Each structure stands twice: as structure tokens, then as C-alpha cells.
Amino acid sequence: MSTLKVGVIGCGSIAKYRHLPEYHANKQIEIVAVCDIVEERAEKMAAQYGAKAFVDYKEVLKLKEIDAISVCLPNYLHAPVSIDALNAGKHVLCEKPMATSKEEAEAMIQAANINEKTLMIAHNQRFVASHQTAKQIINSGKLGKIYSFKTTFGHPGPEAWSVDGADSWFFNKKQAFIGAMGDLGVHKSDLMRYLLGEFTEVGAFIETNAKKNTEVDDNAVCILRTESGIIGTLTASWAYVSGGDNSTVIYGENGTLRLEADPEYSLIEEYRDGKVIHHKLDKIQTNEDGGQTNSHVIDHFVESISENKEPLITGEEGLKSLKIILAALESQETKKIISLEQEV
């Protein structure tokens, strides 16, 4: 099996704690280049992984030996840099949210198709053991008809996680475009699509009420309806000061699934007849100490390229998950329930 040579553009926390360590742990990968506009940051990562440091990402894209690129940049740069990389003949793994608009996302997908390169969006929730097990249970029909759900992703905010702390681009509306909904909510829109199918309607209340000196959202509650009539709530928050919550509960005709809602058991099945099944599975990733376990995103990306197969989260999949978040923003602005187009 041949070695894949990769470049990582952006050396902030997501590259430092997720992309670079996971590439390094994959025996098929050689990290050739790292890039950051802060030269010291790039040089530090380059020294750690035996790569070459760059401050201009276009110089990285000129390297003919590079097969694939990870785009680990502020949200507003995801689309333009990904498109440049695809046009340079590189496979691309792009952080979420994949873009700041439907048009940008469609341009990314078009660039991947024209250049016949893999475009994968780094949604990691589909690879979590409890989520994959829940999907198997739902698909088996064991729960019967699914009625409702509630899914939450909240933590104290990006200050402690981001390399720039309180001055992070996460709080800059021009660079981030969207706050907790783009950082956390889009993960959950992707997860619920994976578990329950496509959504057709979105309503939302979105606020900036917890963080100072920012215009991006920090608290959001969305109401979603699927094609089959399942209704539920999606919450994204940067205001959980005492820790994080990354839980999902699914209510069905025959029972309830509790995912990542218990400190000991990753998945709990509770049935109408009183039967309860506890699952101890691999823990979900967190930004907390000890939470930097393998997300399986990098390994899946590498496998997709090596075996020339479509990744689980293609550009098209990333766009469908993004559309839910864009619809939530529109709902907040218009005070209306938004119907989703499902032409992708």
C-alpha cells in the first residue's frame, strides 16, 4: 500500500489535537507540509512532525508530491482554500461547517467533481460508537416507529479550546460567519440526518446572550421535522459553564435510546416492557483533558482515497447538514418555519 503525502493548512487547535496526531498515527501517511499565517505556529508543528513549514497556503498547493490537504482554517476560508486545493489536484478533508453559504458549498462539490478528487467534510459524530450502534438498532426496527428526539451539543465556549483564546476568530462574525450553530449545531444536524433521514422543515430561536464583544450566536434551539414526520429539538450552546453536554435521546414506539447521556454507559436502551440494556462503548471525543481520542475521521479519509471509494461524509452530505443550519438562521431572521429543498 503506497504512502499518502499530506499537507495541513491551519495550525490551530483542531489541527494540533485532531488532524496532525491522527495523520501521524496512520501508517499510510507522511506529513509533508504544515501551514499557518503565524510562522512560529507552523514551525512548531513542522518540527514536531518532521514536515516543512509554510506561511502561504498556495506554496503548499504547488508541491507536486502532496496527495491530500486538510483545511483547518476559520470558516470563511473553508470554501476558497478547499477549491484551490481541489483545482491543484489534491484530495481535501475540510473542517465543518464546510462553507458559509449554499453557493460556496456547491462550488466546492463542483471543483471535486471536475477534478475527480475526494472531498470529505470532517463531521466526526457519525463515527462515534454509540451513534453507530444506535443507527443499527433504529434500522433493525427494534424501536418501532420513531416519534421524536432531542439532541444537544453545548460547552463553555471556544475560549479555552482555541489557540487564540478569547481573541479567537470564532467570535469574529466576518471570519466565523456563525457561532455555536456552526461550531456545534452543524455536528448535530449531520448526526440526526445520519440516524433519522432527511429533514424538511426547520424553525429556530437563536441568540447572542452569553458572550460579550461578539455578534455571532452563542445559544440556539431549533425545531426539526423529518420527511416521515419525526419531530424534535436541536440545541447548540456556548453557555454551559459547568461542563459539556453532547447527548441525544430518541423516542420510539417500543422504547427509548439514550446516547452519551450517562457518565458510565455510552448507550442505554429502555423498552416499554421494562427491559433496559446498557452499552459500555468507546467514549465520544471531547475537548476536555483525556478526551482527545481517535475521531476516526482521518482514518476514514485515508481509506477512502486509498481504496478509491466515496467517503461517508461527501461534499453533498456536508451541504445537506449545512442547509439545516442556514435554514435555522433564516427562521430566526424571518420568524417563520423554513422548508428545506432536497435537490442535492
Side-chain angles (χ1 to χ4, degrees):
M1 210 173 281
S2 60
T3 300
L4 286 168
K5 298 180 187 298
V6 303
V8 175
I9 299 175
C11 292
S13 293
I14 198 69
K16 180 180 178 180
Y17 293 111
R18 303 278 164 84
H19 290 247
L20 286 166
E22 291 188 29
Y23 277 129
H24 182 67
N26 190 299
K27 297 190 185 331
Q28 280 184 258
I29 291 297
E30 179 186 346
I31 302 169
V32 172
V34 292
C35 179
D36 198 285
I37 57 171
V38 179
E39 189 172 8
E40 181 184 358
R41 214 177 274 167
E43 288 177 348
K44 185 177 180 180
M45 291 296 101
Q48 185 173 344
Y49 292 102
K52 188 175 180 182
F54 293 83
V55 292
D56 182 351
Y57 80 89
K58 291 186 178 179
E59 293 302 311
V60 177
L61 299 184
K62 289 178 183 177
L63 299 175
K64 292 182 179 179
E65 67 267 30
I66 285 185
D67 302 297
I69 293 287
S70 266
V71 177
C72 302
L73 295 167
N75 298 341
Y76 79 115
L77 294 173
H78 286 177
V81 175
S82 293
I83 291 167
D84 283 349
L86 290 162
N87 288 337
K90 318 299 185 187
H91 302 286
V92 170
L93 174 62
C94 180
E95 266 303 323
K96 52 73 202 168
M98 70 181 289
T100 63
S101 71
K102 172 175 172 276
E103 291 73 23
E104 279 191 342
E106 287 173 340
M108 292 168 69
I109 294 166
Q110 183 180 32
N113 290 337
I114 289 171
N115 293 288
E116 297 182 338
K117 294 297 174 183
T118 296
L119 170 62
M120 177 173 157
I121 312 305
H123 286 296
N124 55 25
Q125 299 246 337
R126 299 193 190 200
F127 300 103
V128 175
S130 60
H131 298 165
Q132 292 190 334
T133 304
K135 183 173 177 64
Q136 292 168 6
I137 293 168
I138 292 166
N139 290 351
S140 75
K142 192 176 178 183
L143 281 185
K145 182 179 180 181
I146 305 299
Y147 296 140
S148 185
F149 68 89
K150 59 181 180 181
T151 189
T152 300
F153 200 171
H155 59 48
E159 299 95 321
W161 162 253
S162 174
V163 69
D164 294 315
D167 296 323
S168 172
W169 62 265
F170 278 98
F171 299 110
N172 183 318
K173 190 172 181 67
K174 183 179 177 182
Q175 295 180 319
F177 165 66
I178 189 171
M181 283 290 283
D183 182 30
L184 307 177
V186 75
H187 270 312
K188 289 302 191 177
S189 68
D190 190 73
L191 172 63
M192 299 319 297
R193 288 185 50 252
Y194 172 67
L195 292 176
L196 302 179
E198 299 304 337
F199 290 91
T200 56
E201 292 178 285
V202 180
F205 292 103
I206 301 174
E207 291 291 338
T208 305
N209 61 13
K211 303 297 180 186
K212 297 178 180 178
N213 305 316
T214 183
E215 294 178 349
V216 299
D217 59 281
D218 52 34
N219 273 295
V221 177
C222 306
I223 303 170
L224 307 175
R225 186 201 301 269
T226 71
E227 290 176 331
S228 61
I230 302 168
I231 57 173
T233 59
L234 183 159
T235 301
S237 178
W238 283 344
Y240 292 6
V241 296
S242 61
D245 184 355
N246 202 344
S247 65
T248 299
V249 183
I250 297 170
Y251 303 94
E253 178 183 9
N254 301 324
T256 300
L257 297 183
R258 301 187 184 277
L259 290 65
E260 306 299 334
D262 182 271
E264 187 173 359
Y265 299 103
S266 301
L267 172 63
I268 301 175
E269 302 176 59
E270 300 172 340
Y271 290 96
R272 184 189 291 271
D273 62 5
K275 185 178 182 182
V276 179
I277 304 170
H278 296 86
H279 298 262
K280 268 194 174 181
L281 304 168
D282 288 344
K283 289 189 177 294
I284 194 169
Q285 260 204 345
T286 73
N287 293 342
E288 297 164 12
D289 289 341
Q292 310 304 329
T293 55
N294 190 340
S295 71
H296 306 290
V297 168
I298 298 297
D299 290 345
H300 184 76
F301 177 57
V302 172
E303 182 182 311
S304 299
I305 296 169
S306 299
E307 299 182 11
N308 193 28
K309 66 180 185 182
E310 191 174 80
L312 192 56
I313 308 104
T314 60
E316 289 84 355
E317 285 291 294
L319 174 53
K320 287 179 182 178
S321 298
L322 174 64
K323 279 183 174 181
I324 293 172
I325 303 308
L326 295 175
L329 290 178
E330 186 179 348
S331 175
Q332 169 65 25
E333 291 169 2
T334 62
K335 306 303 180 186
K336 295 178 180 179
I337 301 294
I338 305 302
S339 294
L340 288 169
E341 301 172 16
Q342 295 296 346
E343 75 274 11
V344 176

